[in-house]
Amino acid sequence: MQPSGTTLLVIDDDDQVRQRLTAYLEELGCDVLQAATAADGVALFHDARPELVLCDLHLGSGQGFEVVRQITEAGLEVPVIVMCADGAMTDAVEALRLGASDFLLNPLHDPEVLSHAVRRALDRARLRLENQRIRERLERANRELEVHLKELRDDQAAGHQVQLNMLPQSPWVSGEYRLEHRLIPSLYLSGDFVDYFRISDTQLGFYLADVSGHGSSSAFVTVLLKFMTTRLMYEQRKSEARATGRIEFKPSDVLGHINRSLINCNLGKHVTMLGGVIDEQARTLTYSIGGHLPLPVIYTDGQARYLTGKGRPVGLFEDAEYQNETIELPERFSLTLCSDGVLDCLEGSTLKDKEARLPALIAEHGGTMQGIMAALGLDPNKTMPDDISVLVLSRNAE
């Protein structure tokens, strides 16, 4: 049985045949409309929009062909079953070419043949309609996805530009010191960030940070880092006497401030970072480490070594405390800070092997940014599996 409400249209100029077909179809549970002429049938088709049409092919001197053509050209995907006399196979083939879905031979003696043909035609039509709906939904979803992807690309491109604008000039020379950086994101946006700036007339500050994760959420934290360090420095400038020309901008205080701020923000992100302050008068470097590896590498007199220090990652532990380490700076030196993505570019079967290789590589290339980038095979135009950042600070290194 067909679902109730299925409407069929029978077009036949033989009243007896038409009534018999109608009776068969109504027994199947269908609502049946009737037309005795081609013109009436086409008009009724457009008015009632039946789900299937049965049409006598030889209606009114062969007008059944015209009915098939007009219904097919209407584009409503309604199946048409034509009925033709036994021996008129050429006519049946022509009707199929015009768009008919099936044919039956007149006279029709077996109602089961009619029932089977109707069910098959309706099932095919409904399947075709469902496929069309699915295709339209997919096309609509694809269009929406393309729009969202474009918006995402535009958003990430804008975010990338914002992040680039936050980065300091490279190279940057201040007094005797030269600082330069390279940052290669694994995606549009980077979870690595570097910054350096003048704190006072006699102090330079810098830091390198590696935010957990990748993409926009990690990049957002780099914006917070920039904001927090800038704000902290501004507040200390306001509170301290200008007469001395100095600010007690301790790296450990900065890491502690960022640690508390990230925990309070509840972003689910933490940072490994290291920051330092150069006292140009005393020619010393004071630095603090927040769970960051590899440690800074200092190069002087043809030798390179790691600086010492340790500390917990920033933004994870409320009770984390950060220590300051102070060293005297040589007359000629370079200091290299790297994110852990650099370790993936080094030879070695273990992390320990890779870490041991880094100072030797820096020494081999004179502690210069160009030499380090070339030795690691780093290209700012290539996509890397992890964010990579390198910061080189030097004095009289050449």
Side-chain angles (χ1 to χ4, degrees):
M1 299 291 286
Q2 295 300 326
S4 59
T6 301
T7 302
L8 310 183
L9 171 60
V10 176
I11 308 173
D12 199 311
D13 55 1
D14 187 321
D15 292 342
Q16 188 174 7
V17 172
R18 191 174 67 252
Q19 294 297 336
R20 186 170 67 253
L21 289 172
T22 297
Y24 287 160
L25 295 171
E26 287 179 341
E27 288 181 2
L28 297 176
C30 301
D31 297 327
V32 183
L33 304 174
Q34 300 181 46
T37 67
D40 289 344
V42 172
L44 193 54
F45 168 79
H46 287 293
D47 290 341
R49 299 289 179 88
E51 296 179 55
L52 182 142
V53 176
L54 282 91
C55 180
D56 180 10
L57 199 54
H58 301 288
L59 176 72
S61 302
Q63 292 184 23
F65 292 101
E66 182 63 16
V67 171
V68 174
R69 186 187 66 78
Q70 290 190 38
I71 291 177
T72 301
E73 290 181 353
L76 300 178
E77 300 293 336
V78 175
V80 180
I81 299 176
V82 297
M83 295 172 289
C84 58
D86 191 9
M89 293 304 299
T90 302
D91 292 343
V93 171
E94 176 64 15
L96 294 174
R97 189 187 67 80
L98 289 172
S101 61
D102 204 351
F103 69 92
L104 296 173
L105 298 179
N106 267 334
L108 184 65
H109 298 294
D110 188 353
E112 283 300 318
V113 174
L114 174 63
S115 173
H116 178 72
V118 168
R119 287 194 177 96
R120 182 172 60 185
L122 288 172
D123 288 343
R124 287 177 178 174
R126 288 165 183 162
L127 181 60
R128 186 165 55 248
L129 180 60
E130 182 61 25
N131 287 339
Q132 180 180 346
R133 289 171 178 167
I134 292 173
R135 185 166 58 250
E136 289 173 351
R137 286 198 296 269
L138 287 175
E139 290 174 353
R140 184 167 59 252
N142 283 336
R143 288 193 297 271
E144 292 174 355
L145 180 60
E146 288 175 0
V147 170
H148 292 326
L149 286 175
K150 183 181 183 303
E151 291 176 349
L152 179 60
R153 285 193 295 268
D154 290 346
D155 287 347
Q156 289 194 331
H160 179 62
Q161 190 59 49
V162 168
Q163 200 169 40
L164 288 178
N165 291 340
M166 292 195 310
L167 289 169
Q169 177 184 341
S170 181
W172 179 62
V173 178
S174 183
E176 297 180 320
Y177 295 89
R178 172 188 172 95
L179 296 97
E180 58 183 318
H181 69 83
R182 298 289 187 276
L183 196 152
I184 306 175
S186 59
L187 301 171
Y188 271 99
L189 302 173
S190 176
D192 285 3
F193 195 72
V194 299
D195 200 9
Y196 35 82
F197 41 85
R198 180 158 288 284
I199 300 172
S200 69
D201 293 340
T202 60
Q203 295 168 286
L204 294 175
F206 62 89
Y207 67 86
L208 183 148
D210 183 353
V211 183
S212 60
H214 299 280
S216 56
S217 61
S218 297
F220 174 71
V221 177
T222 68
V223 178
L224 280 180
L225 293 177
K226 178 81 172 183
F227 169 77
M228 286 187 285
T229 53
T230 302
R231 184 178 180 84
L232 184 60
M233 186 168 59
Y234 171 75
E235 290 176 349
Q236 288 192 272
R237 278 177 176 167
K238 282 177 57 180
S239 63
E240 296 178 9
R242 292 182 179 272
T244 63
R246 293 178 57 80
I247 297 176
E248 291 300 319
F249 197 69
K250 296 180 180 179
S252 59
D253 292 342
V254 176
L255 267 60
H257 173 72
I258 295 173
N259 182 65
R260 292 187 296 273
S261 298
L262 287 179
I263 291 174
N264 290 336
C265 287
N266 197 28
L267 296 175
K269 292 286 184 179
H270 67 274
V271 183
T272 64
M273 65 183 298
L274 50 87
V277 174
I278 292 177
D279 185 323
E280 294 172 287
Q281 289 182 333
R283 292 193 171 184
T284 60
L285 165 66
T286 300
Y287 63 93
S288 186
I289 295 173
H292 190 86
L293 290 174
L295 293 169
V297 177
I298 190 166
Y299 169 79
T300 184
D301 295 330
Q303 302 292 321
R305 62 178 176 84
Y306 283 118
L307 298 184
T308 60
K310 61 181 180 179
R312 289 179 170 184
V314 179
L316 278 180
F317 306 99
E318 293 184 2
D319 61 345
E321 295 182 357
Y322 301 96
Q323 305 299 320
N324 289 314
E325 306 283 346
T326 301
I327 64 169
E328 293 185 2
L329 292 173
E331 181 66 26
R332 295 175 179 269
F333 78 95
S334 72
L335 182 70
T336 301
L337 286 65
C338 304
S339 64
D340 61 1
V342 165
L343 298 176
D344 295 332
C345 305
L346 292 171
E347 295 180 357
S349 56
T350 66
L351 179 60
K352 186 176 181 180
D353 292 338
K354 293 174 181 287
E355 287 182 313
R357 173 64 182 143
L358 183 58
L361 181 145
I362 290 174
E364 288 169 11
H365 294 84
T368 65
M369 175 67 79
Q370 184 177 1
I372 294 169
M373 294 291 288
L376 293 172
L378 298 178
D379 183 348
N381 298 315
K382 289 184 178 179
T383 301
M384 305 301 292
D386 192 7
D387 296 328
I388 291 177
S389 55
V390 180
L391 169 61
V392 176
L393 183 157
S394 61
R395 183 177 69 192
N396 302 324
E398 298 180 359

